[in-house]
Amino acid sequence: MRSNDDLARDLRPAITRLYLALRRRAPVAELSAAQASALSTLLFYGPLRMGTLAEREGIRMPTATALVDGLIKVGLVDRRPDPDDRRAVLVELTDTGRVQVEAVRRRRDDALATALGQLPEDKKHALADAADALDELQRLLENTPGTSTTKENPEP
């Protein structure tokens, strides 16, 4: 069995390249990578406070505010008061935003399914076995303290 460091060095570039290949096959039209990532985060987690969105995206609050302002202008997200704290706002997808993100996800799923169809069965079985482990790895990364919140160009 490889060490954690060796496995991390092998997995990270493979996961990153896989993500980038999917993104190229089904880009989110007219949106930056940061905007597309924020939309995906809101779809996955539901309405979030601005600070929580900034933290999850690894960006500063002013950057998150500008990002959300741009998404509001194109009708993909809304702000509303947080019922638990009147000083805070929640950011949530609009119906249009939800439809756009789900359409991109479907196109990416289709592209991935096409590529999977070209793999031998043993490789597909290995990926199926790895799916749960990758989900758990993602959850661990999301909940690991010490993640930088100053990154200006998040890579989801």
Side-chain angles (χ1 to χ4, degrees):
M1 178 94 176
R2 289 184 276 185
S3 73
N4 289 343
D5 289 344
D6 289 342
L7 186 56
R9 276 190 290 275
D10 290 345
L11 281 176
R12 187 204 40 79
I15 291 168
T16 300
R17 287 190 307 268
L18 178 61
Y19 166 74
L20 292 172
L22 283 171
R23 200 173 89 187
R24 283 190 297 270
R25 298 302 177 276
V28 180
E30 301 171 14
L31 295 178
S32 69
Q35 288 173 319
S37 177
L39 291 175
S40 182
T41 296
L42 290 169
L43 180 68
F44 187 77
Y45 293 103
L48 295 173
R49 285 184 174 190
M50 186 73 76
T52 304
L53 178 63
E55 184 179 312
R56 290 218 175 264
E57 291 301 297
I59 57 178
R60 296 183 191 119
M61 277 294 289
T63 303
T65 300
L67 183 87
V68 168
D69 287 345
L71 292 170
I72 288 172
K73 284 180 185 175
V74 294
L76 300 178
V77 302
D78 279 328
R79 275 191 194 106
R80 65 177 166 85
D82 184 339
D84 296 329
D85 182 351
R86 296 172 74 142
R87 298 168 295 166
V89 296
L90 292 175
V91 180
E92 64 186 334
L93 288 175
T94 61
D95 290 341
T96 301
R98 184 173 308 284
V99 166
Q100 184 167 350
V101 174
E102 288 174 348
V104 169
R105 283 187 169 194
R106 279 191 302 277
R107 289 195 312 270
R108 289 178 180 174
D109 287 349
D110 291 346
L112 190 54
T114 299
L116 286 167
Q118 299 172 41
L119 282 178
E121 287 301 312
D122 64 322
K123 299 289 185 186
K124 284 194 269 191
H125 287 295
L127 288 171
D129 290 343
D132 287 339
L134 289 170
D135 280 344
E136 181 63 21
L137 181 61
Q138 182 265 329
R139 280 191 293 279
L140 290 169
L141 284 170
E142 290 279 335
N143 295 314
T144 300
T147 304
S148 170
T149 58
T150 61
K151 186 172 63 169
E152 291 297 322
N153 209 357
E155 195 63 45

